[in-house]
Amino acid sequence: MVRLMDETGFSESDGGQTPGLMADQGAVKPATDDGAYRVLARKYRPKTFEDLVGQEPMVQTLENAFETGRIAQAWMLTGVRGVGKTTTARILARGLNYEVPGVADKPTVKLTQEGTHCKAIMEGRHVDVIEMDAASHTGINDIREIIDAARYRPATARYKVYIIDEVHMLSNAAFNGLLKTLEEPPEHVKFIFATTEIRKVPITVLSRCQRFDLRRIEQSKLIGLLRRISDAEGIQISDEALMLIARAGEGSARDSLSLLDQAMAHGAGAIEAEDLRQMLGLADRARVIDLFGHIMAGRIEDALGELQAQYEVGADPAIVLTDLADFTHLVTRMKVAPKSADEASVTEAERARGREFAEQISVRLLSRAWQILLKGVQEVQAASKPLAAADMVLVRLAYAADLPDPGDLMAQIKNGQNPFGGAAPSGGGGAPAGGGGGTSAMAVGMNYAPGSSGSGPTMQASARPQLSAIQGGRPAPQGVPQAAPEPQAQPAYNLKSLYDCAALASEKGDIPFKVKIQRLMRLVKFEPGKIEIQPTDDAPADIAGEFGRKLTEWTGQRWFVVVSRTQGRPTIHEEQEANQQQLLSDAKSHPTVAALLAQFPGARVVDVKVQVTEEDDAALADPMVSDPLLSEALGDDEDD
């Protein structure tokens, strides 16, 4: 979070205090001399390190560095949008060039009064503090200008500071051209980089910078910030409306202030929660909770009617599903960490009903609902008819809410147990009683496993959950179910490496994805059911999700594939190339081959094929050998 101060004397602090206006100030002064309006994000911009509340580790590091004279030549500021990266860069440039005649004449983080260069630096117009937008200056020629100008000393300030925003947009040639100057710059030159995509910055650049990760602003602190700014602007706004803005801002001060600006124009001096919902296309949180209750109780007709009603008053179906996912997350947190209900961002309705749901719903059902909603939001956003897509997500969620885990269900059926406890399904899913003494038949349907795409069908029953008591639903009638059909046994797969996964893709006939496994994935960690990979630069953005879905479909077991920031081992293709090059090198150094090459000038070794012996066949049969795709390159015997 940031503490903000503007020209009016308003200072936003972290303690939840009321804003302090100057004694001789009756109203907020115009932001500029000519009376032009300045948006809140610029008007209340931090100006000192003390204003950067929530960034204490960075401030402490800089303070110690300035006091001991250990000032780095470059800094890398990273974080989500709107947390103050560019503003922090300007404050850092101000601290480097801080100078007050007769008071201070060295770099410091204690900017107690405005110095000689402070105003020009904070307004972005100082001749020795050069700001460059890398999004519009991406080429090597732009970097060459910086390199040429860096040789000359600053005109008036202590340091010549280059602030490069969105540095990840520079081209590879520009990055390479900057490396030498970045590593050994002149003593009077400092670099400050800012980026939202730190993974796109080459490691060669990161290794030459001190990196600071600016944190998101907590919702409770963001609400306090918005309240103080609203009071300073003379705007009446309800607490619920502030909470909606803070949630929509997602930890970004700039996004939240931009929404507050828009709400001030929309409300014309008074802002209520209902006005803000219409402006943002949000659904009423109480109605979202009602929709959640309908779904968990299996009342599909009521759920679809509630979604239609919210849509008719302007709610976006994708946002409704997002709010449902948020409430599912809140209920899950209340179940595993009850103290989370006391957070300031939680309304009284969410707190009361969330605790009620947390007592009734298991973590397994909540996790399943979260998976379906997470995938459903993406489907609605990509659909040509969002409302129809949202309807289908709710139907899927309502029918899956009470289902047992597929693995447990199959295990119980295999063992001859009745997984439904003798209860017939309710909600119209069961068949009418036959002539066998009033018993009812159990309805068994086919559905795809939640959270996966294209996975094999699993048997499901249409029994409703145990929430009927708190939602007013009717209990399910009792009956004797019929025997479920015997599930088909699936072959067992013992996957231990990416080589096994590539071989499985080949076995399933999915050659394109086999090539992706071999060329676009670097393995970081391989565990049963979980794989950590580092995709290559040219890999699709959703390759991890696609990999997990295909493994789940092929094996019948749940696989999670996650993207890791840790550097992975080379890809299968890279390892194969390296092995082949090693074989060529070994062959060239063999005495016999060397003699042949010497005997026939111009001859060269173009390929090496290894003869597989009976001992090698035995080695391939060894379960410890997990590299079937490289069997043709087996063995390190140089005599081959």
Side-chain angles (χ1 to χ4, degrees), residues 258-304:
S258 298
L259 289 175
L260 181 60
D261 245 333
Q262 183 179 352
M264 289 166 56
H266 181 80
I271 305 173
E272 297 295 335
E274 186 61 32
D275 298 331
L276 201 60
R277 290 192 187 96
Q278 294 181 2
M279 184 187 79
L280 300 178
L282 300 177
D284 188 345
R285 298 293 290 185
R287 300 188 67 173
V288 170
I289 298 174
D290 292 338
L291 180 59
F292 181 85
H294 292 324
I295 294 171
M296 291 294 104
R299 297 194 293 270
I300 302 176
E301 185 176 355
D302 294 339
L304 296 179

mmCIF file of all heavy atoms in Angstrom, residues 258-304:
data_model
loop_
_atom_site.group_PDB
_atom_site.id
_atom_site.type_symbol
_atom_site.label_atom_id
_atom_site.label_comp_id
_atom_site.label_asym_id
_atom_site.label_seq_id
_atom_site.Cartn_x
_atom_site.Cartn_y
_atom_site.Cartn_z
ATOM 1 N N SER A 258 -8.876 4.937 -10.091
ATOM 2 C CA SER A 258 -9.553 5.187 -11.365
ATOM 3 C C SER A 258 -11.032 4.839 -11.275
ATOM 4 O O SER A 258 -11.894 5.567 -11.788
ATOM 5 C CB SER A 258 -8.881 4.373 -12.483
ATOM 6 O OG SER A 258 -7.535 4.765 -12.660
ATOM 7 N N LEU A 259 -11.351 3.740 -10.583
ATOM 8 C CA LEU A 259 -12.757 3.377 -10.385
ATOM 9 C C LEU A 259 -13.459 4.385 -9.497
ATOM 10 O O LEU A 259 -14.640 4.714 -9.724
ATOM 11 C CB LEU A 259 -12.847 1.976 -9.766
ATOM 12 C CG LEU A 259 -12.462 0.811 -10.675
ATOM 13 C CD1 LEU A 259 -12.477 -0.491 -9.888
ATOM 14 C CD2 LEU A 259 -13.400 0.717 -11.864
ATOM 15 N N LEU A 260 -12.754 4.889 -8.463
ATOM 16 C CA LEU A 260 -13.352 5.917 -7.616
ATOM 17 C C LEU A 260 -13.610 7.189 -8.415
ATOM 18 O O LEU A 260 -14.647 7.842 -8.244
ATOM 19 C CB LEU A 260 -12.424 6.204 -6.434
ATOM 20 C CG LEU A 260 -12.910 7.251 -5.433
ATOM 21 C CD1 LEU A 260 -14.234 6.831 -4.810
ATOM 22 C CD2 LEU A 260 -11.864 7.477 -4.337
ATOM 23 N N ASP A 261 -12.693 7.547 -9.292
ATOM 24 C CA ASP A 261 -12.910 8.694 -10.182
ATOM 25 C C ASP A 261 -14.174 8.518 -11.018
ATOM 26 O O ASP A 261 -15.007 9.422 -11.146
ATOM 27 C CB ASP A 261 -11.693 8.854 -11.100
ATOM 28 C CG ASP A 261 -10.942 10.149 -10.843
ATOM 29 O OD1 ASP A 261 -11.570 11.102 -10.377
ATOM 30 O OD2 ASP A 261 -9.728 10.182 -11.093
ATOM 31 N N GLN A 262 -14.319 7.328 -11.592
ATOM 32 C CA GLN A 262 -15.482 7.049 -12.427
ATOM 33 C C GLN A 262 -16.762 7.064 -11.602
ATOM 34 O O GLN A 262 -17.807 7.563 -12.050
ATOM 35 C CB GLN A 262 -15.306 5.694 -13.114
ATOM 36 C CG GLN A 262 -16.418 5.320 -14.068
ATOM 37 C CD GLN A 262 -16.168 3.971 -14.736
ATOM 38 O OE1 GLN A 262 -15.094 3.391 -14.587
ATOM 39 N NE2 GLN A 262 -17.154 3.483 -15.463
ATOM 40 N N ALA A 263 -16.682 6.508 -10.381
ATOM 41 C CA ALA A 263 -17.867 6.482 -9.517
ATOM 42 C C ALA A 263 -18.264 7.890 -9.086
ATOM 43 O O ALA A 263 -19.455 8.200 -8.966
ATOM 44 C CB ALA A 263 -17.584 5.617 -8.288
ATOM 45 N N MET A 264 -17.269 8.759 -8.853
ATOM 46 C CA MET A 264 -17.579 10.146 -8.489
ATOM 47 C C MET A 264 -18.339 10.848 -9.612
ATOM 48 O O MET A 264 -19.279 11.619 -9.375
ATOM 49 C CB MET A 264 -16.285 10.887 -8.163
ATOM 50 C CG MET A 264 -15.653 10.444 -6.853
ATOM 51 S SD MET A 264 -13.935 11.007 -6.648
ATOM 52 C CE MET A 264 -14.123 12.764 -6.847
ATOM 53 N N ALA A 265 -17.941 10.594 -10.857
ATOM 54 C CA ALA A 265 -18.659 11.188 -11.986
ATOM 55 C C ALA A 265 -20.044 10.572 -12.148
ATOM 56 O O ALA A 265 -21.008 11.257 -12.496
ATOM 57 C CB ALA A 265 -17.844 11.016 -13.263
ATOM 58 N N HIS A 266 -20.150 9.259 -11.884
ATOM 59 C CA HIS A 266 -21.419 8.563 -12.050
ATOM 60 C C HIS A 266 -22.410 8.955 -10.966
ATOM 61 O O HIS A 266 -23.604 9.134 -11.232
ATOM 62 C CB HIS A 266 -21.180 7.053 -12.022
ATOM 63 C CG HIS A 266 -22.416 6.239 -12.202
ATOM 64 N ND1 HIS A 266 -22.990 6.006 -13.434
ATOM 65 C CD2 HIS A 266 -23.212 5.599 -11.303
ATOM 66 C CE1 HIS A 266 -24.075 5.266 -13.300
ATOM 67 N NE2 HIS A 266 -24.230 5.002 -12.002
ATOM 68 N N GLY A 267 -21.920 9.114 -9.723
ATOM 69 C CA GLY A 267 -22.820 9.383 -8.605
ATOM 70 C C GLY A 267 -23.103 10.845 -8.370
ATOM 71 O O GLY A 267 -24.011 11.181 -7.608
ATOM 72 N N ALA A 268 -22.321 11.744 -8.975
ATOM 73 C CA ALA A 268 -22.549 13.192 -8.854
ATOM 74 C C ALA A 268 -22.574 13.638 -7.399
ATOM 75 O O ALA A 268 -23.483 14.333 -6.952
ATOM 76 C CB ALA A 268 -23.843 13.584 -9.568
ATOM 77 N N GLY A 269 -21.554 13.192 -6.613
ATOM 78 C CA GLY A 269 -21.410 13.666 -5.239
ATOM 79 C C GLY A 269 -21.808 12.670 -4.181
ATOM 80 O O GLY A 269 -21.390 12.802 -3.032
ATOM 81 N N ALA A 270 -22.615 11.678 -4.504
ATOM 82 C CA ALA A 270 -23.025 10.644 -3.545
ATOM 83 C C ALA A 270 -22.981 9.292 -4.251
ATOM 84 O O ALA A 270 -23.597 9.126 -5.313
ATOM 85 C CB ALA A 270 -24.420 10.933 -2.993
ATOM 86 N N ILE A 271 -22.287 8.341 -3.669
ATOM 87 C CA ILE A 271 -22.079 7.050 -4.319
ATOM 88 C C ILE A 271 -22.656 5.969 -3.422
ATOM 89 O O ILE A 271 -22.254 5.828 -2.251
ATOM 90 C CB ILE A 271 -20.583 6.789 -4.567
ATOM 91 C CG1 ILE A 271 -19.967 7.946 -5.359
ATOM 92 C CG2 ILE A 271 -20.386 5.474 -5.304
ATOM 93 C CD1 ILE A 271 -18.465 7.843 -5.493
ATOM 94 N N GLU A 272 -23.568 5.178 -3.934
ATOM 95 C CA GLU A 272 -24.143 4.040 -3.230
ATOM 96 C C GLU A 272 -23.731 2.754 -3.925
ATOM 97 O O GLU A 272 -23.326 2.759 -5.096
ATOM 98 C CB GLU A 272 -25.668 4.147 -3.174
ATOM 99 C CG GLU A 272 -26.180 5.358 -2.405
ATOM 100 C CD GLU A 272 -25.820 5.306 -0.925
ATOM 101 O OE1 GLU A 272 -25.615 4.184 -0.407
ATOM 102 O OE2 GLU A 272 -25.725 6.381 -0.308
ATOM 103 N N ALA A 273 -23.856 1.647 -3.196
ATOM 104 C CA ALA A 273 -23.420 0.358 -3.719
ATOM 105 C C ALA A 273 -24.203 -0.035 -4.961
ATOM 106 O O ALA A 273 -23.644 -0.583 -5.915
ATOM 107 C CB ALA A 273 -23.551 -0.721 -2.636
ATOM 108 N N GLU A 274 -25.503 0.264 -4.987
ATOM 109 C CA GLU A 274 -26.326 -0.128 -6.138
ATOM 110 C C GLU A 274 -25.889 0.616 -7.394
ATOM 111 O O GLU A 274 -25.833 0.035 -8.484
ATOM 112 C CB GLU A 274 -27.798 0.153 -5.841
ATOM 113 C CG GLU A 274 -28.751 -0.360 -6.917
ATOM 114 C CD GLU A 274 -28.654 -1.866 -7.093
ATOM 115 O OE1 GLU A 274 -28.375 -2.571 -6.105
ATOM 116 O OE2 GLU A 274 -28.843 -2.328 -8.247
ATOM 117 N N ASP A 275 -25.542 1.903 -7.249
ATOM 118 C CA ASP A 275 -25.050 2.659 -8.400
ATOM 119 C C ASP A 275 -23.740 2.072 -8.913
ATOM 120 O O ASP A 275 -23.506 1.996 -10.125
ATOM 121 C CB ASP A 275 -24.841 4.119 -8.013
ATOM 122 C CG ASP A 275 -26.139 4.793 -7.579
ATOM 123 O OD1 ASP A 275 -27.200 4.368 -8.089
ATOM 124 O OD2 ASP A 275 -26.077 5.705 -6.751
ATOM 125 N N LEU A 276 -22.905 1.646 -7.990
ATOM 126 C CA LEU A 276 -21.620 1.096 -8.390
ATOM 127 C C LEU A 276 -21.781 -0.254 -9.083
ATOM 128 O O LEU A 276 -21.066 -0.564 -10.038
ATOM 129 C CB LEU A 276 -20.725 0.944 -7.153
ATOM 130 C CG LEU A 276 -19.223 0.865 -7.404
ATOM 131 C CD1 LEU A 276 -18.727 2.121 -8.093
ATOM 132 C CD2 LEU A 276 -18.477 0.653 -6.110
ATOM 133 N N ARG A 277 -22.749 -1.048 -8.628
ATOM 134 C CA ARG A 277 -22.989 -2.339 -9.292
ATOM 135 C C ARG A 277 -23.445 -2.119 -10.739
ATOM 136 O O ARG A 277 -23.032 -2.853 -11.636
ATOM 137 C CB ARG A 277 -24.038 -3.135 -8.522
ATOM 138 C CG ARG A 277 -23.563 -3.661 -7.169
ATOM 139 C CD ARG A 277 -24.546 -4.671 -6.610
ATOM 140 N NE ARG A 277 -24.190 -5.042 -5.249
ATOM 141 C CZ ARG A 277 -24.713 -4.480 -4.152
ATOM 142 N NH1 ARG A 277 -25.635 -3.532 -4.284
ATOM 143 N NH2 ARG A 277 -24.329 -4.862 -2.965
ATOM 144 N N GLN A 278 -24.305 -1.164 -10.949
ATOM 145 C CA GLN A 278 -24.753 -0.882 -12.305
ATOM 146 C C GLN A 278 -23.609 -0.369 -13.167
ATOM 147 O O GLN A 278 -23.499 -0.715 -14.349
ATOM 148 C CB GLN A 278 -25.890 0.144 -12.261
ATOM 149 C CG GLN A 278 -27.169 -0.363 -11.602
ATOM 150 C CD GLN A 278 -28.269 0.690 -11.603
ATOM 151 O OE1 GLN A 278 -28.083 1.789 -12.126
ATOM 152 N NE2 GLN A 278 -29.409 0.357 -11.005
ATOM 153 N N MET A 279 -22.738 0.434 -12.574
ATOM 154 C CA MET A 279 -21.620 0.979 -13.340
ATOM 155 C C MET A 279 -20.633 -0.107 -13.741
ATOM 156 O O MET A 279 -20.108 -0.118 -14.861
ATOM 157 C CB MET A 279 -20.907 2.045 -12.500
ATOM 158 C CG MET A 279 -19.769 2.758 -13.218
ATOM 159 S SD MET A 279 -18.840 3.854 -12.116
ATOM 160 C CE MET A 279 -17.804 2.656 -11.281
ATOM 161 N N LEU A 280 -20.370 -1.052 -12.828
ATOM 162 C CA LEU A 280 -19.372 -2.088 -13.074
ATOM 163 C C LEU A 280 -19.966 -3.380 -13.625
ATOM 164 O O LEU A 280 -19.217 -4.296 -13.965
ATOM 165 C CB LEU A 280 -18.610 -2.399 -11.777
ATOM 166 C CG LEU A 280 -17.840 -1.230 -11.147
ATOM 167 C CD1 LEU A 280 -17.186 -1.686 -9.844
ATOM 168 C CD2 LEU A 280 -16.789 -0.710 -12.107
ATOM 169 N N GLY A 281 -21.285 -3.471 -13.700
ATOM 170 C CA GLY A 281 -21.909 -4.711 -14.152
ATOM 171 C C GLY A 281 -21.800 -5.818 -13.132
ATOM 172 O O GLY A 281 -21.723 -7.002 -13.497
ATOM 173 N N LEU A 282 -21.797 -5.466 -11.845
ATOM 174 C CA LEU A 282 -21.655 -6.454 -10.784
ATOM 175 C C LEU A 282 -23.013 -6.944 -10.323
ATOM 176 O O LEU A 282 -24.036 -6.276 -10.486
ATOM 177 C CB LEU A 282 -20.893 -5.857 -9.591
ATOM 178 C CG LEU A 282 -19.477 -5.346 -9.854
ATOM 179 C CD1 LEU A 282 -18.902 -4.719 -8.600
ATOM 180 C CD2 LEU A 282 -18.586 -6.485 -10.323
ATOM 181 N N ALA A 283 -23.010 -8.109 -9.711
ATOM 182 C CA ALA A 283 -24.226 -8.652 -9.122
ATOM 183 C C ALA A 283 -24.224 -8.365 -7.624
ATOM 184 O O ALA A 283 -23.174 -8.212 -7.005
ATOM 185 C CB ALA A 283 -24.311 -10.166 -9.365
ATOM 186 N N ASP A 284 -25.419 -8.274 -7.061
ATOM 187 C CA ASP A 284 -25.556 -8.072 -5.621
ATOM 188 C C ASP A 284 -24.954 -9.273 -4.898
ATOM 189 O O ASP A 284 -25.254 -10.431 -5.215
ATOM 190 C CB ASP A 284 -27.043 -7.928 -5.286
ATOM 191 C CG ASP A 284 -27.272 -7.530 -3.844
ATOM 192 O OD1 ASP A 284 -26.327 -7.639 -3.049
ATOM 193 O OD2 ASP A 284 -28.398 -7.102 -3.529
ATOM 194 N N ARG A 285 -24.089 -9.003 -3.905
ATOM 195 C CA ARG A 285 -23.423 -10.099 -3.207
ATOM 196 C C ARG A 285 -24.437 -11.003 -2.504
ATOM 197 O O ARG A 285 -24.251 -12.216 -2.439
ATOM 198 C CB ARG A 285 -22.435 -9.542 -2.188
ATOM 199 C CG ARG A 285 -21.320 -8.713 -2.771
ATOM 200 C CD ARG A 285 -20.383 -9.537 -3.605
ATOM 201 N NE ARG A 285 -19.584 -10.452 -2.803
ATOM 202 C CZ ARG A 285 -18.611 -11.214 -3.293
ATOM 203 N NH1 ARG A 285 -18.345 -11.173 -4.593
ATOM 204 N NH2 ARG A 285 -17.914 -12.019 -2.528
ATOM 205 N N ALA A 286 -25.507 -10.417 -1.971
ATOM 206 C CA ALA A 286 -26.529 -11.235 -1.316
ATOM 207 C C ALA A 286 -27.193 -12.173 -2.319
ATOM 208 O O ALA A 286 -27.477 -13.341 -2.005
ATOM 209 C CB ALA A 286 -27.566 -10.335 -0.643
ATOM 210 N N ARG A 287 -27.424 -11.694 -3.533
ATOM 211 C CA ARG A 287 -28.043 -12.543 -4.539
ATOM 212 C C ARG A 287 -27.063 -13.619 -5.020
ATOM 213 O O ARG A 287 -27.472 -14.721 -5.381
ATOM 214 C CB ARG A 287 -28.535 -11.693 -5.712
ATOM 215 C CG ARG A 287 -29.565 -10.664 -5.316
ATOM 216 C CD ARG A 287 -30.167 -9.964 -6.510
ATOM 217 N NE ARG A 287 -30.977 -10.856 -7.326
ATOM 218 C CZ ARG A 287 -31.719 -10.463 -8.355
ATOM 219 N NH1 ARG A 287 -31.752 -9.160 -8.676
ATOM 220 N NH2 ARG A 287 -32.414 -11.320 -9.052
ATOM 221 N N VAL A 288 -25.773 -13.300 -5.047
ATOM 222 C CA VAL A 288 -24.766 -14.315 -5.386
ATOM 223 C C VAL A 288 -24.764 -15.424 -4.345
ATOM 224 O O VAL A 288 -24.656 -16.614 -4.673
ATOM 225 C CB VAL A 288 -23.374 -13.664 -5.504
ATOM 226 C CG1 VAL A 288 -22.293 -14.729 -5.606
ATOM 227 C CG2 VAL A 288 -23.320 -12.754 -6.717
ATOM 228 N N ILE A 289 -24.916 -15.043 -3.064
ATOM 229 C CA ILE A 289 -24.965 -16.056 -2.004
ATOM 230 C C ILE A 289 -26.215 -16.914 -2.158
ATOM 231 O O ILE A 289 -26.165 -18.142 -1.972
ATOM 232 C CB ILE A 289 -24.924 -15.366 -0.630
ATOM 233 C CG1 ILE A 289 -23.601 -14.596 -0.467
ATOM 234 C CG2 ILE A 289 -25.070 -16.400 0.485
ATOM 235 C CD1 ILE A 289 -23.532 -13.770 0.802
ATOM 236 N N ASP A 290 -27.354 -16.287 -2.498
ATOM 237 C CA ASP A 290 -28.573 -17.071 -2.748
ATOM 238 C C ASP A 290 -28.356 -18.044 -3.906
ATOM 239 O O ASP A 290 -28.800 -19.212 -3.842
ATOM 240 C CB ASP A 290 -29.742 -16.145 -3.061
ATOM 241 C CG ASP A 290 -30.161 -15.312 -1.855
ATOM 242 O OD1 ASP A 290 -29.860 -15.737 -0.712
ATOM 243 O OD2 ASP A 290 -30.780 -14.239 -2.054
ATOM 244 N N LEU A 291 -27.712 -17.591 -4.966
ATOM 245 C CA LEU A 291 -27.432 -18.456 -6.110
ATOM 246 C C LEU A 291 -26.543 -19.622 -5.694
ATOM 247 O O LEU A 291 -26.765 -20.766 -6.125
ATOM 248 C CB LEU A 291 -26.766 -17.639 -7.213
ATOM 249 C CG LEU A 291 -26.395 -18.377 -8.505
ATOM 250 C CD1 LEU A 291 -27.624 -18.995 -9.145
ATOM 251 C CD2 LEU A 291 -25.711 -17.429 -9.482
ATOM 252 N N PHE A 292 -25.556 -19.359 -4.851
ATOM 253 C CA PHE A 292 -24.690 -20.425 -4.343
ATOM 254 C C PHE A 292 -25.504 -21.460 -3.565
ATOM 255 O O PHE A 292 -25.305 -22.674 -3.717
ATOM 256 C CB PHE A 292 -23.608 -19.811 -3.455
ATOM 257 C CG PHE A 292 -22.637 -20.810 -2.877
ATOM 258 C CD1 PHE A 292 -21.525 -21.215 -3.602
ATOM 259 C CD2 PHE A 292 -22.826 -21.339 -1.610
ATOM 260 C CE1 PHE A 292 -20.636 -22.124 -3.080
ATOM 261 C CE2 PHE A 292 -21.944 -22.247 -1.073
ATOM 262 C CZ PHE A 292 -20.831 -22.643 -1.816
ATOM 263 N N GLY A 293 -26.453 -20.983 -2.739
ATOM 264 C CA GLY A 293 -27.290 -21.910 -1.986
ATOM 265 C C GLY A 293 -28.157 -22.769 -2.883
ATOM 266 O O GLY A 293 -28.311 -23.973 -2.647
ATOM 267 N N HIS A 294 -28.743 -22.161 -3.935
ATOM 268 C CA HIS A 294 -29.559 -22.953 -4.865
ATOM 269 C C HIS A 294 -28.719 -24.060 -5.512
ATOM 270 O O HIS A 294 -29.170 -25.200 -5.653
ATOM 271 C CB HIS A 294 -30.134 -22.042 -5.956
ATOM 272 C CG HIS A 294 -31.152 -21.058 -5.452
ATOM 273 N ND1 HIS A 294 -32.045 -21.363 -4.456
ATOM 274 C CD2 HIS A 294 -31.388 -19.758 -5.818
ATOM 275 C CE1 HIS A 294 -32.821 -20.311 -4.223
ATOM 276 N NE2 HIS A 294 -32.443 -19.313 -5.033
ATOM 277 N N ILE A 295 -27.508 -23.720 -5.916
ATOM 278 C CA ILE A 295 -26.663 -24.690 -6.617
ATOM 279 C C ILE A 295 -26.269 -25.830 -5.689
ATOM 280 O O ILE A 295 -26.362 -27.008 -6.047
ATOM 281 C CB ILE A 295 -25.415 -23.989 -7.186
ATOM 282 C CG1 ILE A 295 -25.819 -23.006 -8.284
ATOM 283 C CG2 ILE A 295 -24.427 -25.013 -7.736
ATOM 284 C CD1 ILE A 295 -24.700 -22.132 -8.744
ATOM 285 N N MET A 296 -25.816 -25.494 -4.484
ATOM 286 C CA MET A 296 -25.363 -26.531 -3.563
ATOM 287 C C MET A 296 -26.509 -27.438 -3.110
ATOM 288 O O MET A 296 -26.282 -28.594 -2.750
ATOM 289 C CB MET A 296 -24.696 -25.897 -2.344
ATOM 290 C CG MET A 296 -23.362 -25.233 -2.631
ATOM 291 S SD MET A 296 -22.057 -26.386 -3.144
ATOM 292 C CE MET A 296 -21.996 -26.063 -4.905
ATOM 293 N N ALA A 297 -27.743 -26.914 -3.114
ATOM 294 C CA ALA A 297 -28.900 -27.730 -2.759
ATOM 295 C C ALA A 297 -29.479 -28.471 -3.957
ATOM 296 O O ALA A 297 -30.436 -29.228 -3.804
ATOM 297 C CB ALA A 297 -29.986 -26.855 -2.126
ATOM 298 N N GLY A 298 -28.922 -28.249 -5.156
ATOM 299 C CA GLY A 298 -29.398 -28.955 -6.333
ATOM 300 C C GLY A 298 -30.668 -28.400 -6.929
ATOM 301 O O GLY A 298 -31.303 -29.065 -7.749
ATOM 302 N N ARG A 299 -31.062 -27.167 -6.539
ATOM 303 C CA ARG A 299 -32.283 -26.581 -7.088
ATOM 304 C C ARG A 299 -31.925 -25.857 -8.390
ATOM 305 O O ARG A 299 -31.747 -24.631 -8.440
ATOM 306 C CB ARG A 299 -32.905 -25.623 -6.070
ATOM 307 C CG ARG A 299 -33.351 -26.323 -4.793
ATOM 308 C CD ARG A 299 -34.267 -25.426 -3.968
ATOM 309 N NE ARG A 299 -33.555 -24.267 -3.451
ATOM 310 C CZ ARG A 299 -32.926 -24.231 -2.274
ATOM 311 N NH1 ARG A 299 -32.911 -25.321 -1.514
ATOM 312 N NH2 ARG A 299 -32.330 -23.139 -1.866
ATOM 313 N N ILE A 300 -31.853 -26.613 -9.470
ATOM 314 C CA ILE A 300 -31.345 -26.078 -10.735
ATOM 315 C C ILE A 300 -32.291 -25.032 -11.313
ATOM 316 O O ILE A 300 -31.849 -23.994 -11.815
ATOM 317 C CB ILE A 300 -31.140 -27.231 -11.735
ATOM 318 C CG1 ILE A 300 -30.184 -28.272 -11.162
ATOM 319 C CG2 ILE A 300 -30.609 -26.712 -13.059
ATOM 320 C CD1 ILE A 300 -30.013 -29.475 -12.026
ATOM 321 N N GLU A 301 -33.593 -25.282 -11.231
ATOM 322 C CA GLU A 301 -34.548 -24.334 -11.800
ATOM 323 C C GLU A 301 -34.449 -22.982 -11.107
ATOM 324 O O GLU A 301 -34.455 -21.925 -11.757
ATOM 325 C CB GLU A 301 -35.966 -24.892 -11.683
ATOM 326 C CG GLU A 301 -37.017 -24.020 -12.355
ATOM 327 C CD GLU A 301 -38.400 -24.655 -12.312
ATOM 328 O OE1 GLU A 301 -38.505 -25.807 -11.837
ATOM 329 O OE2 GLU A 301 -39.362 -23.988 -12.750
ATOM 330 N N ASP A 302 -34.337 -22.988 -9.782
ATOM 331 C CA ASP A 302 -34.198 -21.734 -9.034
ATOM 332 C C ASP A 302 -32.880 -21.041 -9.377
ATOM 333 O O ASP A 302 -32.815 -19.811 -9.471
ATOM 334 C CB ASP A 302 -34.273 -21.998 -7.531
ATOM 335 C CG ASP A 302 -35.645 -22.490 -7.105
ATOM 336 O OD1 ASP A 302 -36.607 -22.254 -7.848
ATOM 337 O OD2 ASP A 302 -35.743 -23.117 -6.032
ATOM 338 N N ALA A 303 -31.815 -21.832 -9.548
ATOM 339 C CA ALA A 303 -30.511 -21.255 -9.871
ATOM 340 C C ALA A 303 -30.526 -20.573 -11.230
ATOM 341 O O ALA A 303 -30.030 -19.451 -11.390
ATOM 342 C CB ALA A 303 -29.434 -22.345 -9.833
ATOM 343 N N LEU A 304 -31.137 -21.235 -12.222
ATOM 344 C CA LEU A 304 -31.210 -20.637 -13.552
ATOM 345 C C LEU A 304 -32.080 -19.378 -13.547
ATOM 346 O O LEU A 304 -31.775 -18.393 -14.230
ATOM 347 C CB LEU A 304 -31.743 -21.658 -14.556
ATOM 348 C CG LEU A 304 -30.878 -22.896 -14.805
ATOM 349 C CD1 LEU A 304 -31.547 -23.821 -15.807
ATOM 350 C CD2 LEU A 304 -29.492 -22.497 -15.290
#
